Amino acid sequence: DYSVNIYLRQQWYDPRLRFNKSEISDNKDCVKLEDKIWEKLWVPDVFFRNEKKADFHHVTIPNRFINLYPDGKLWYVMKISATLSCMMQLQKYPLDTQICPMMLESFGHTMQTVIFKWLVNKSVESTDELSMPQFMLKGYPTKDCSKNYTTGSYPCLQVDFILQRDIGYFIIQVYIPTILQVILSWVAFWINAEAIPARVSLGLLTVLTMTTQSSGAGQSLPRVSYIKAIDVWMSVCLIFVFASLLEFAVVNVYSRKDTNSVKPAGNGDAGVAEAAENFGVRSSLRLHDQEQQQQQQQYQIPKILPVNSGGAQTPGSGRNRIFYSDGAGAAAESTMLLLSNEKSPPPKQQQQPESAGQQSSNSAKLTSAQIMSTNTARKIDKISRRLFPLMFLIFNVIYWVMYVVVK
């Protein structure tokens, strides 16, 4: 519905009220009749056919009057505030243009008794200062709306107010914020696929924000069963934001595919090294192996010479005293180690590690699978950087042409 304040002006002729202009002392063109005289005269029984509520104005006096002319013409003016129904079509909301009618019909007289006609000049006028916060008045064409009922055909006049919705508010509050949110979701395409918390947080933030804004945009509207233009816009923007989140899920699957594609093979240190490479610490393990080799070389026992003090081996006692050469021909006694003549049990045979060729082959397979998966994930991101903006641009062209250009 919509509300209006109008001055309803009516004109008709009543030959019973004719008088001579010379009989008036002031020689006026018309005579203003006293208040409430309309209760004693015949006046048209006009009512608003699409009225919900209407009132006369009585402050400070009743806002209506009647002028009588010598030829019997009566000019009846009243000020009315009315709330009228307007069956709006919201398929293009908020890019819509509404036509709200005002229908003036006779309540009790058929067209055989009364005929309604619009005045020839300026039948409908509006003030120059007319301003509405959400609409612009584009025109007010008039037409006849006479209708046949069971009791006859009743006269009716109709004026259509053409109201175009001002889109400035929605551009600032709806369209620009949602466009920025969609663009913000594309920032994830430039973030490294390994930064999982950053990309997930960005995707969820844009999805939740878009959902909240979509529900808030339709709170002030009636719950109609058809799809509105703003519903199409918010739904497609939500799809774009959600698609960017799903794109990261696909990228994450490809970036992690190398972990399950090649399983660690072999035993001992080789198997541990390959498992460590699968978790991305291959360089750290290599550094640790180098440090162990350096420590073994630093603390390696020098060459041992089994000689006695006179240069011959001492028999008998079951133990030999061990001497080592200092490299200059002199022998020095060492108490650092005693060896038994008894045979010590052989050391447990350790499992032989994989050959260098097998380790190199597994590493090559692992590196190749990792590179292929990483390249696929990066390729998906690169394609998304161009595909998403292009699709959103095409959607904008179709949307604005359909709802703004096409009438």
Side-chain angles (χ1 to χ4, degrees), residues 100-379:
C100 294
M102 176 187 293
M103 292 175 283
L104 305 170
E105 185 177 326
S106 175
F107 188 80
H109 297 283
T110 63
M111 295 185 65
Q112 297 178 354
T113 307
V114 177
I115 296 176
F116 285 172
K117 291 183 179 181
W118 289 108
L119 292 177
V120 178
N121 296 323
K122 296 182 178 181
S123 56
V124 180
E125 296 179 288
S126 64
T127 59
D128 298 334
E129 297 82 9
L130 181 62
S131 177
M132 290 175 285
Q134 293 189 27
F135 291 93
M136 294 179 291
L137 183 60
K138 292 298 183 179
Y140 29 82
T142 59
K143 64 180 181 179
D144 184 87
C145 61
S146 300
K147 187 176 181 180
N148 289 322
Y149 297 94
T150 56
T151 56
S153 178
Y154 290 82
C156 177
L157 296 178
Q158 178 175 335
V159 53
D160 293 328
F161 298 105
I162 301 176
L163 303 173
Q164 182 179 357
R165 198 181 302 273
D166 191 358
I167 197 176
Y169 170 82
F170 298 94
I171 289 291
I172 298 174
Q173 298 293 331
V174 177
Y175 288 101
I176 291 180
T178 50
I179 290 175
L180 294 179
Q181 290 173 22
V182 173
I183 295 176
L184 181 62
S185 67
W186 299 341
V187 176
F189 303 150
W190 278 266
I191 300 178
N192 192 352
E194 297 178 358
I196 298 177
R199 296 190 66 165
V200 171
S201 300
L202 183 61
L204 291 178
L205 177 64
T206 52
V207 169
L208 294 177
T209 304
M210 188 66 66
T211 305
T212 303
Q213 190 166 6
S214 177
S215 61
Q219 288 182 352
S220 60
L221 293 176
R223 292 174 175 84
V224 295
S225 59
Y226 49 81
I227 299 176
K228 303 179 289 295
I230 194 170
D231 296 334
V232 175
W233 175 267
M234 300 300 293
S235 299
V236 173
C237 289
L238 182 60
I239 291 174
F240 271 96
V241 172
F242 187 71
S244 65
L245 184 60
L246 292 182
E247 186 270 349
F248 168 66
V250 176
V251 169
N252 189 33
V253 169
Y254 277 95
S255 63
R256 288 176 171 266
K257 192 175 181 180
D258 59 304
T259 303
N260 299 323
S261 60
V262 179
K263 295 183 179 180
N267 299 322
D269 294 339
V272 175
E274 290 181 2
E277 288 176 357
N278 286 337
F279 286 93
V281 294
R282 179 174 52 190
S283 59
S284 174
L285 182 60
R286 289 180 177 177
L287 179 60
H288 180 67
D289 293 342
Q290 293 176 0
E291 291 179 354
Q292 286 183 348
Q293 293 176 3
Q294 292 176 1
Q295 290 177 1
Q296 291 176 1
Q297 294 176 1
Q298 181 178 1
Y299 296 102
Q300 185 175 6
I301 300 175
K303 184 176 182 182
I304 300 174
L305 299 176
V307 296
N308 55 16
S309 59
Q313 184 177 359
T314 303
S317 62
R319 293 182 180 271
N320 291 334
R321 303 182 70 182
I322 303 304
F323 294 84
Y324 68 92
S325 175
D326 59 357
E333 184 177 0
S334 174
T335 59
M336 56 178 289
L337 181 62
L338 291 178
L339 296 178
S340 174
N341 288 331
E342 298 177 357
K343 295 182 179 180
S344 59
K348 294 182 179 179
Q349 186 175 1
Q350 296 181 353
Q351 296 179 353
Q352 296 295 330
E354 292 182 350
S355 63
Q358 292 177 345
Q359 294 180 6
S360 176
S361 176
N362 291 334
S363 299
K365 291 180 180 179
L366 182 60
T367 304
S368 176
Q370 183 179 9
I371 292 175
M372 291 178 61
S373 300
T374 303
N375 290 339
T376 304
R378 292 179 178 176
K379 187 176 181 180

Side-chain angles (χ1 to χ4, degrees), residues 52-77:
K52 288 187 174 182
K53 182 181 179 181
D55 292 306
F56 292 105
H57 288 247
H58 298 279
V59 181
T60 58
I61 59 173
N63 295 168
R64 49 180 169 169
F65 66 89
I66 293 181
N67 288 340
L68 176 62
Y69 291 84
D71 57 354
K73 183 179 72 174
L74 291 127
W75 183 255
Y76 185 27
V77 180

